[in-house]
mmCIF file of all heavy atoms in Angstrom:
data_model
loop_
_atom_site.group_PDB
_atom_site.id
_atom_site.type_symbol
_atom_site.label_atom_id
_atom_site.label_comp_id
_atom_site.label_asym_id
_atom_site.label_seq_id
_atom_site.Cartn_x
_atom_site.Cartn_y
_atom_site.Cartn_z
ATOM 1 N N ALA A 1180 -235.370 12.789 10.807
ATOM 2 C CA ALA A 1180 -234.393 12.618 11.775
ATOM 3 C C ALA A 1180 -233.576 11.294 11.415
ATOM 4 O O ALA A 1180 -234.205 10.289 11.130
ATOM 5 C CB ALA A 1180 -234.912 12.427 13.210
ATOM 6 N N GLY A 1181 -232.243 11.396 11.440
ATOM 7 C CA GLY A 1181 -231.375 10.296 11.116
ATOM 8 C C GLY A 1181 -231.102 10.012 9.721
ATOM 9 O O GLY A 1181 -230.263 9.253 9.273
ATOM 10 N N GLU A 1182 -231.751 10.782 8.759
ATOM 11 C CA GLU A 1182 -231.473 10.729 7.304
ATOM 12 C C GLU A 1182 -230.607 11.773 6.855
ATOM 13 O O GLU A 1182 -230.747 12.985 7.272
ATOM 14 C CB GLU A 1182 -232.763 10.696 6.525
ATOM 15 C CG GLU A 1182 -233.649 9.412 6.691
ATOM 16 C CD GLU A 1182 -234.883 9.372 5.806
ATOM 17 O OE1 GLU A 1182 -234.990 10.275 4.935
ATOM 18 O OE2 GLU A 1182 -235.632 8.520 6.003
ATOM 19 N N GLU A 1183 -229.669 11.432 6.003
ATOM 20 C CA GLU A 1183 -228.725 12.393 5.478
ATOM 21 C C GLU A 1183 -229.450 13.262 4.441
ATOM 22 O O GLU A 1183 -230.116 12.725 3.592
ATOM 23 C CB GLU A 1183 -227.520 11.742 4.918
ATOM 24 C CG GLU A 1183 -226.424 12.692 4.423
ATOM 25 C CD GLU A 1183 -225.182 12.006 3.849
ATOM 26 O OE1 GLU A 1183 -225.415 10.960 3.117
ATOM 27 O OE2 GLU A 1183 -224.093 12.535 4.153
ATOM 28 N N ARG A 1184 -229.206 14.551 4.471
ATOM 29 C CA ARG A 1184 -229.717 15.525 3.518
ATOM 30 C C ARG A 1184 -228.473 15.931 2.657
ATOM 31 O O ARG A 1184 -227.478 16.454 3.287
ATOM 32 C CB ARG A 1184 -230.470 16.704 4.215
ATOM 33 C CG ARG A 1184 -231.029 17.803 3.228
ATOM 34 C CD ARG A 1184 -232.119 17.164 2.466
ATOM 35 N NE ARG A 1184 -233.368 17.219 3.342
ATOM 36 C CZ ARG A 1184 -234.466 16.849 2.875
ATOM 37 N NH1 ARG A 1184 -234.760 16.666 1.570
ATOM 38 N NH2 ARG A 1184 -235.518 16.878 3.720
ATOM 39 N N ILE A 1185 -228.619 15.888 1.359
ATOM 40 C CA ILE A 1185 -227.467 16.252 0.513
ATOM 41 C C ILE A 1185 -227.866 17.352 -0.454
ATOM 42 O O ILE A 1185 -228.953 17.256 -0.986
ATOM 43 C CB ILE A 1185 -226.929 14.997 -0.235
ATOM 44 C CG1 ILE A 1185 -226.464 13.913 0.753
ATOM 45 C CG2 ILE A 1185 -225.944 15.352 -1.221
ATOM 46 C CD1 ILE A 1185 -226.176 12.529 0.082
ATOM 47 N N PHE A 1186 -227.071 18.350 -0.681
ATOM 48 C CA PHE A 1186 -227.281 19.281 -1.686
ATOM 49 C C PHE A 1186 -225.967 19.783 -2.228
ATOM 50 O O PHE A 1186 -224.897 19.379 -1.816
ATOM 51 C CB PHE A 1186 -228.119 20.397 -1.227
ATOM 52 C CG PHE A 1186 -227.559 21.070 0.143
ATOM 53 C CD1 PHE A 1186 -227.016 22.325 0.066
ATOM 54 C CD2 PHE A 1186 -227.830 20.501 1.372
ATOM 55 C CE1 PHE A 1186 -226.648 22.930 1.291
ATOM 56 C CE2 PHE A 1186 -227.327 21.035 2.528
ATOM 57 C CZ PHE A 1186 -226.760 22.271 2.494
ATOM 58 N N ARG A 1187 -226.008 20.682 -3.212
ATOM 59 C CA ARG A 1187 -224.728 21.026 -3.951
ATOM 60 C C ARG A 1187 -224.580 22.541 -3.978
ATOM 61 O O ARG A 1187 -225.607 23.205 -4.070
ATOM 62 C CB ARG A 1187 -224.863 20.550 -5.394
ATOM 63 C CG ARG A 1187 -223.576 20.612 -6.135
ATOM 64 C CD ARG A 1187 -223.716 19.940 -7.495
ATOM 65 N NE ARG A 1187 -223.981 20.982 -8.497
ATOM 66 C CZ ARG A 1187 -223.514 21.017 -9.688
ATOM 67 N NH1 ARG A 1187 -222.766 20.090 -10.123
ATOM 68 N NH2 ARG A 1187 -223.850 21.981 -10.501
ATOM 69 N N LEU A 1188 -223.375 22.900 -3.932
ATOM 70 C CA LEU A 1188 -222.996 24.367 -3.892
ATOM 71 C C LEU A 1188 -222.049 24.599 -5.082
ATOM 72 O O LEU A 1188 -221.113 23.837 -5.284
ATOM 73 C CB LEU A 1188 -222.310 24.780 -2.567
ATOM 74 C CG LEU A 1188 -221.726 26.205 -2.520
ATOM 75 C CD1 LEU A 1188 -222.037 26.724 -1.049
ATOM 76 C CD2 LEU A 1188 -220.396 26.323 -2.931
ATOM 77 N N GLN A 1189 -222.306 25.681 -5.830
ATOM 78 C CA GLN A 1189 -221.454 26.194 -6.940
ATOM 79 C C GLN A 1189 -220.648 27.327 -6.440
ATOM 80 O O GLN A 1189 -221.262 28.348 -6.128
ATOM 81 C CB GLN A 1189 -222.253 26.550 -8.173
ATOM 82 C CG GLN A 1189 -221.477 27.150 -9.287
ATOM 83 C CD GLN A 1189 -220.419 26.182 -9.863
ATOM 84 O OE1 GLN A 1189 -220.718 25.166 -10.385
ATOM 85 N NE2 GLN A 1189 -219.053 26.622 -9.701
ATOM 86 N N ALA A 1190 -219.331 27.306 -6.331
ATOM 87 C CA ALA A 1190 -218.548 28.384 -5.926
ATOM 88 C C ALA A 1190 -218.454 29.390 -7.072
ATOM 89 O O ALA A 1190 -218.431 29.020 -8.259
ATOM 90 C CB ALA A 1190 -217.195 27.888 -5.560
ATOM 91 N N ARG A 1191 -218.602 30.678 -6.686
ATOM 92 C CA ARG A 1191 -218.525 31.795 -7.730
ATOM 93 C C ARG A 1191 -217.733 32.811 -7.272
ATOM 94 O O ARG A 1191 -217.449 33.095 -6.054
ATOM 95 C CB ARG A 1191 -219.913 32.269 -7.907
ATOM 96 C CG ARG A 1191 -220.798 31.208 -8.580
ATOM 97 C CD ARG A 1191 -222.276 31.810 -8.908
ATOM 98 N NE ARG A 1191 -223.084 30.792 -9.507
ATOM 99 C CZ ARG A 1191 -223.085 30.322 -10.824
ATOM 100 N NH1 ARG A 1191 -222.299 30.983 -11.585
ATOM 101 N NH2 ARG A 1191 -223.824 29.401 -11.215
ATOM 102 N N ASP A 1192 -217.155 33.691 -8.188
ATOM 103 C CA ASP A 1192 -216.384 34.769 -7.833
ATOM 104 C C ASP A 1192 -217.287 35.989 -7.539
ATOM 105 O O ASP A 1192 -218.552 35.795 -7.777
ATOM 106 C CB ASP A 1192 -215.300 35.168 -8.797
ATOM 107 C CG ASP A 1192 -215.861 35.572 -10.208
ATOM 108 O OD1 ASP A 1192 -216.940 35.913 -10.291
ATOM 109 O OD2 ASP A 1192 -215.025 35.652 -11.109
#
Side-chain angles (χ1 to χ4, degrees):
E1182 290 185 7
E1183 183 178 42
R1184 179 69 76 174
I1185 299 173
F1186 52 105
R1187 193 174 96 140
L1188 179 141
Q1189 172 65 61
R1191 296 184 181 277
D1192 68 14

